[in-house]
Amino acid sequence: MNTAQQTARVGLFFLLGLALTWVTWETLSDGKLFKQTGYSLVAGFDNLKELKQGDEVRMAGVKIGSVERTRLAGRRAEAVLRIDPGVKIASDATATIVMAGLIGTNYIGLDLGTPGAPVLTDGAELRTKITPDINAIMTELGNLGQKLEGALGSITTTVNGDGKNPGLFQKLDRLVTDNSTKIDTTMTNLASATEKINKGEGTLGKLLNDSKLHDELVATVSEIKGAATDAKSFVADAQTLVNQVKSGKGTLGALIFDETAGNDLKVVTRNLRDISDKIAKGEGTLGKLLTDDSLYLSAQSTLKKADSAIDSLGDSGPITAVGAAAKVLF
Amino acid sequence: MKQFTHFLEGFGSAVQLLFQSARFVGTLPRQRARFIDQCYLIGYTTLPIVAILCFFMGSVLALQSGYSMENFGAKQFIGSLVGLSFARELGPVIVAILVAGRVGSAITAELASMKVYQEVDALVTMNIPPARILVLPRLAAVLVMMPVLAIIGNLIGWFGGAVVCKYVESIAIEPEAYFSALRRYMKFKDVGTGLMKAEIFGFVVVLICCSIGLNTRGGPREIGASVTKAVVVSLISILVLDYFVTKALM
Amino acid sequence: MNPPIHRNPITAVESPAVGVTIDGLTKNFGTFQALKNVSFTVEPGEIFVLMGPSGSGKSVLLKHIVGLEAATAGRVLINGQDATAEHTLERIRIALVFQAGALFNSLSVYDNLALYPREHRFGDEATIRDKVMRALQILSLENSAQKFPSELSGGMRKRVAIARALVMEPQLMLYDEPTSELDPVMSATISEIIATLKDEYHVTTIVVSHDRELALGIADRVGILMGGELVFLGPPASLRQPADPRIADFFHPRIDLKNPRFKTLET
């Protein structure tokens, strides 16, 4: 081989090296080496969380593009998405940031939208929905636990008393006990009077034998009876409520003992155990639980969020979201 | 103790040789033909073996990481693992080891035989310093060729990993996902670090091999001994240097 | 006295020939004394033949002259300059014809010769080509220019080595065993070449050899080294009937078959 040939080969070889280095550099630096295809959409969020440039955009789980870049725009964070050409996105498709794994890989998930809706064009803005991430869910669950604790404490105090002041049961009990003789006497008297009256004995009897008066009297007695029954059933209700909470039925019980939450909501359970303890000690007023419907509402909204968070974790890897929660927690 | 003295002597003569060669950098343009010749030997002819080894190294790396990462469901990160470890570590080291084995040994053999058959002495009496025409073109050539070999080795290694990921059933990751994972956690700095490492290793290997070759004494039997010594010292130097260079470049 | 004029064999440019002074030269390799306080002077333009049996230190002495070895004691002066000093080789062109030729095996004969003028920028490629071809002609090697050293016979290699030395336009020529391994005809040719170079161009020449014919034929003066010591220094004529028994033994070795050394041969 002659020298010129050798020189040419070395030169080409060196150029090849330069070219490959340049290609690698371009590819790893900004990915702008290859001409951009497709069109771009903007998705605004309050918080992009772990989303990075180069993350995938999937519609119904199918990759249709990637995050071209992320930027701050005023009071929100924007992700500019590069969508593959030929993919049509309905204008009412909603974008969410989805966790694909637990070690920081996210992607943007789009739902299909409704058929027949107009198609988004280059530069258009996507509708977005905030999905709480696992941290937010945990914080909310913690807050809920504290609220429950306070409210249930109040119930207990009202029902059982707090040691100094007698509670509802004690008061009723004492009322009945203290006056039992009087009530007995009254009842006996009433019975004999009634008997006499029925027989039509004495002036009073006659006077009272007037059916109208009799009717009124009967009504009064039944009202007294009704009041007593009401008091009883209220006490029973309160007890049932406490029992239900303990045994895991009803809305609150369901929240706490929901099987989908399983062991991973142990913290909440523990909180509730604390709550029971505190219920035993007794604090607060009954009225709080009964009038404070914000508690119920916030419980409900938390559950909704938890639901949707768990939905959005549907695509996660082998480690389940619950497992993740457990890892975050313990 | 004696070993240590030998080590110091060897180290000293290599450094001395480096400075002697550096003095003649100005003569490089005149030595263009020799430089091209060495580029051809060091770069071009080493490419096939670099390509083959890097391909299989990338493949086996992907295979092994696929096997072990499956246990905790991180298979989608094989691309990142293969990419990073190849660019930062394996690529430069493999290329340097190949250069030591293929080019370094040849350099030592050639210079040692020139020394043993008095060609080096002849050069000295002709007032042509061996550092100028024997060492300098080789050092310059390895500086130019090493990054080229390393980047090609890198890309071929990555490609080898991709092939395994696609065609091995237990892994079954599409090249697109593999390269997307590879790109996700890699910056050009990682590749650049690797190229710089390759550059340093290659330079040191050629310097060591030249120095040991030129310091050969005795008869033809010593040529073989020198070659063995050069390769061993080169390999040790690569791996020891690797630690320190990696630490310095981090 | 003015030194004889040295005329370059290739370019015929004239310059003063150089003289060599060996002054108390001693060289130890570990405990082995290769040279023991050797002193002599080679005059400009003369042919000095250094003789001695194998291992007597002749080649080591040559290496001192070109600065390949550093003396343990004493010094070598070339035109008054220390041979080991780096700049000596830059100022004075010394050509050493190695015993084995020391040709560059990776270069063709032509490139072997052209290396020195190219590296020292004697001129453009055409000038260099002229010089190289003339040197090849002097040694009758024109037809071997494109051959590689491995394709040459021993005698041709030696001639190439001499040609390579000539191209250097040397002021001092050193030959290490120029006629060893050569047939008598080629030996005579080499002797002739050495004498011609000296006669026509006044190149100071030092020849290391144990070839008695060569020494007696071309030498202006002869030195004999034995065991690292200079045992004789004088004109070749006085070697015809050497007084020193050691020298006589060297020139006319008698093989005594009764000598215990040959016992093994008999049995």
Side-chain angles (χ1 to χ4, degrees):
Chain A
M1 182 175 38
N2 63 42
T3 322
Q5 231 175 341
Q6 188 167 316
T7 310
R9 285 189 191 190
V10 170
L12 280 177
F13 185 65
F14 183 70
L15 287 179
L16 173 71
L18 274 186
L20 288 178
T21 312
W22 181 69
V23 167
T24 315
W25 184 74
E26 283 285 354
T27 314
L28 292 179
S29 298
D30 44 15
K32 280 183 186 144
L33 172 67
F34 304 107
K35 200 163 180 281
Q36 291 285 6
T37 52
Y39 59 100
S40 68
L41 295 176
V42 178
F45 292 92
D46 287 344
N47 183 352
L48 287 178
K49 291 160 190 164
E50 300 284 319
L51 197 71
K52 292 184 302 292
Q53 179 187 324
D55 281 342
E56 293 181 357
V57 175
R58 299 190 198 171
M59 176 175 258
V62 180
K63 185 179 183 249
I64 57 162
S66 61
V67 176
E68 192 172 65
R69 67 197 151 111
T70 57
R71 65 184 180 204
L72 271 179
R75 296 283 300 156
R76 65 172 195 172
E78 281 182 352
V80 180
L81 315 180
R82 173 66 47 178
I83 307 295
D84 295 344
V87 176
K88 293 185 170 61
I89 296 174
S91 57
D92 63 346
T94 312
T96 47
I97 297 175
V98 185
M99 278 186 283
L102 292 164
I103 32 187
T105 46
N106 283 15
Y107 63 87
I108 291 216
L110 290 173
D111 57 28
L112 291 167
T114 50
V119 171
L120 288 177
T121 53
D122 188 40
E125 170 126 17
L126 270 166
R127 281 168 50 176
T128 58
K129 192 174 73 179
I130 299 159
T131 49
D133 60 8
I134 211 95
N135 291 333
I137 296 166
M138 288 305 150
T139 319
E140 296 247 5
L141 279 176
N143 292 340
L144 177 63
Q146 279 181 349
K147 282 186 182 173
L148 276 174
E149 199 176 307
L152 291 178
S154 306
I155 300 171
T156 324
T157 316
T158 317
V159 172
N160 292 338
D162 57 4
K164 283 180 235 159
N165 304 311
L168 184 63
F169 293 143
Q170 282 105 316
K171 280 181 186 165
L172 284 169
D173 193 33
R174 204 186 306 153
L175 179 71
V176 176
T177 318
D178 289 359
N179 298 309
S180 68
T181 355
K182 286 179 189 169
I183 291 171
D184 269 1
T185 319
T186 312
M187 288 302 167
T188 318
N189 289 347
L190 271 174
S192 74
T194 323
E195 203 177 330
K196 283 173 184 168
I197 290 164
N198 278 347
K199 287 174 187 162
E201 283 171 16
T203 321
L204 187 61
K206 286 185 176 160
L207 177 68
L208 293 179
N209 240 349
D210 184 335
S211 65
K212 188 190 169 194
L213 281 175
H214 172 249
D215 287 346
E216 280 175 0
L217 190 63
V218 170
T220 311
V221 171
S222 66
E223 270 175 25
I224 291 169
K225 274 186 188 164
T229 320
D230 281 353
K232 264 187 200 166
S233 77
F234 175 70
V235 171
D237 282 349
Q239 240 159 358
T240 320
L241 177 63
V242 172
N243 286 343
Q244 281 182 341
V245 169
K246 277 186 184 164
S247 65
K249 287 177 198 157
T251 319
L252 293 174
L255 166 68
I256 294 153
F257 290 102
D258 191 337
E259 281 180 9
T260 60
N263 293 332
D264 310 296
L265 292 174
K266 268 183 190 165
V267 153
V268 182
T269 318
R270 212 191 302 142
N271 283 345
L272 280 174
R273 238 180 259 139
D274 293 346
I275 295 167
S276 312
D277 292 344
K278 285 183 183 166
I279 286 171
K281 285 180 214 152
E283 283 166 13
T285 63
L286 180 63
K288 194 173 173 188
L289 172 67
L290 301 178
T291 55
D292 191 358
D293 64 350
S294 69
L295 174 66
Y296 171 75
L297 292 177
S298 70
Q300 232 177 1
S301 85
T302 306
L303 281 178
K304 270 188 196 161
K305 285 178 184 174
D307 265 356
S308 68
I310 286 160
D311 278 353
S312 65
L313 283 172
D315 220 27
S316 62
I319 310 172
T320 67
V322 173
K327 284 204 173 141
V328 172
L329 288 171
F330 304 112
Chain B
M1 193 59 217
K2 203 178 163 196
Q3 304 279 311
F4 186 66
T5 326
H6 280 171
F7 166 75
L8 281 187
E9 273 173 17
F11 184 75
S13 60
V15 172
Q16 205 182 352
L17 191 62
L18 174 62
F19 283 114
Q20 283 171 1
S21 315
R23 267 175 47 200
F24 300 115
V25 167
T27 66
L28 255 185
R30 280 201 288 127
Q31 302 202 55
R32 221 200 66 187
R34 257 177 230 127
F35 169 74
I36 297 286
D37 204 42
Q38 291 303 327
C39 280
Y40 185 79
L41 287 175
I42 292 173
Y44 193 84
T45 59
T46 315
L47 181 63
I49 190 169
V50 163
I52 293 168
L53 247 87
C54 285
F55 180 85
F56 282 102
M57 204 66 210
S59 309
V60 84
L61 193 61
L63 202 58
Q64 290 283 26
S65 43
Y67 172 76
S68 44
M69 284 166 100
E70 200 166 23
N71 292 333
F72 47 97
K75 264 189 349 187
Q76 64 264 45
F77 294 111
I78 292 177
S80 317
L81 182 80
V82 173
L84 275 179
S85 38
F86 224 92
R88 294 187 60 93
E89 185 59 46
L90 281 170
V93 169
I94 288 175
V95 172
I97 286 176
L98 290 180
V99 166
R102 197 185 175 285
V103 176
S105 56
I107 289 176
T108 307
E110 187 179 347
L111 297 196
S113 88
M114 287 185 78
K115 174 80 186 199
V116 165
Y117 294 113
Q118 291 185 304
E119 293 181 38
V120 172
D121 287 346
L123 283 176
V124 172
T125 64
M126 288 176 163
N127 193 23
I128 303 170
R132 185 170 85 198
I133 71 161
L134 298 180
V135 181
L136 181 68
R138 288 180 165 87
L139 287 178
V142 80
L143 278 183
V144 173
M145 284 296 126
M146 223 33 208
V148 178
L149 284 176
I151 189 83
I152 294 175
N154 245 341
L155 295 178
I156 290 177
W158 292 350
F159 176 72
V163 169
V164 162
C165 282
K166 181 164 169 60
Y167 292 107
V168 170
E169 276 175 30
S170 64
I171 301 176
I173 288 177
E174 284 302 306
E176 221 181 75
Y178 170 89
F179 280 113
S180 138
L182 188 147
R183 275 185 54 190
R184 178 160 303 155
Y185 293 103
M186 178 133 50
K187 299 181 198 67
F188 184 73
K189 182 174 170 263
D190 295 316
V191 178
T193 306
L195 296 190
M196 208 181 298
K197 276 166 80 169
E199 185 89 318
I200 293 170
F201 296 160
F203 188 79
V204 168
V205 163
V206 169
L207 185 64
I208 286 172
C209 291
C210 285
S211 177
I212 290 177
L214 286 178
N215 281 308
T216 307
R217 277 173 214 291
R221 228 171 74 100
E222 304 303 318
I223 299 173
S226 278
V227 172
T228 309
K229 186 178 162 193
V231 172
V232 169
V233 173
S234 295
L235 294 187
I236 293 173
S237 308
I238 289 170
L239 294 177
V240 172
L241 259 180
D242 187 27
Y243 177 81
F244 292 103
V245 173
T246 306
K247 199 139 193 305
L249 290 178
M250 245 167 197
Chain C
M1 176 193 102
N2 285 333
I5 294 304
H6 155 79
R7 205 147 54 83
N8 190 284
I10 308 292
T11 54
V13 173
E14 295 184 346
S15 58
V18 296
V20 178
T21 306
I22 314 283
D23 182 12
L25 191 65
T26 302
K27 178 69 180 180
N28 297 339
F29 293 107
T31 53
F32 174 67
Q33 253 197 324
L35 293 173
K36 298 170 188 166
N37 194 20
V38 177
S39 297
F40 64 88
T41 302
V42 180
E43 299 299 334
E46 81 169 335
I47 296 181
F48 185 90
V49 178
L50 193 59
M51 303 185 73
S54 306
S56 58
K58 308 181 300 280
S59 294
V60 174
L61 197 145
L62 267 195
K63 285 187 174 179
H64 279 86
I65 297 174
V66 288
L68 285 174
E69 294 278 1
T72 308
R75 55 194 181 146
V76 177
L77 297 177
I78 300 165
N79 261 9
Q81 293 176 9
D82 198 310
T84 52
E86 212 169 303
H87 52 78
T88 305
L89 276 178
E90 284 169 23
R91 290 184 191 165
I92 299 159
R93 286 194 292 277
I94 305 171
L96 170 56
V97 179
F98 287 84
Q99 181 171 0
L103 302 180
F104 304 118
N105 283 310
S106 58
L107 301 178
S108 68
V109 168
Y110 181 87
D111 288 334
N112 258 283
L113 266 66
L115 182 70
Y116 184 90
R118 278 177 186 157
E119 285 299 316
H120 292 278
R121 289 193 263 193
F122 274 18
D124 58 14
E125 201 54 36
T127 320
I128 290 170
R129 189 176 172 79
D130 279 353
K131 290 179 198 289
V132 169
M133 291 321 286
R134 204 165 308 152
L136 287 174
Q137 265 166 15
I138 293 173
L139 278 301
S140 0
L141 286 163
E142 307 95 309
N143 298 327
S144 307
Q146 296 311 320
K147 286 183 179 165
F148 278 81
S150 54
E151 303 169 80
L152 302 177
S153 68
M156 283 171 98
R157 285 157 163 270
K158 209 141 253 176
R159 280 190 286 158
V160 173
I162 295 171
R164 191 175 71 180
L166 286 183
V167 173
M168 288 172 66
E169 303 179 1
Q171 292 160 280
L172 175 61
M173 281 279 270
L174 308 174
Y175 299 87
D176 192 357
E177 304 281 7
T179 57
S180 65
E181 304 159 41
L182 295 187
D183 58 86
V185 178
M186 190 52 72
S187 292
T189 315
I190 299 279
S191 306
E192 218 172 286
I193 290 165
I194 295 171
T196 312
L197 287 174
K198 183 254 168 179
D199 288 342
E200 289 189 16
Y201 307 109
H202 266 303
V203 183
T204 310
T205 307
I206 300 176
V207 183
V208 161
S209 177
H210 53 243
D211 183 336
R212 184 166 149 267
E213 296 309 317
L214 175 84
L216 301 181
I218 61 171
D220 291 322
R221 279 193 308 148
V222 176
I224 296 178
L225 271 178
M226 280 187 175
E229 282 177 279
L230 193 67
V231 296
F232 175 84
L233 186 65
S238 54
L239 282 172
R240 305 255 176 223
Q241 300 296 327
D244 192 325
R246 290 179 299 177
I247 299 168
D249 211 33
F250 171 61
F251 276 105
H252 306 284
R254 283 164 305 204
I255 297 172
D256 180 6
L257 290 176
K258 297 268 158 55
N259 190 312
R261 278 192 291 177
F262 298 105
K263 266 271 160 64
T264 48
L265 285 177
E266 286 178 354
T267 53

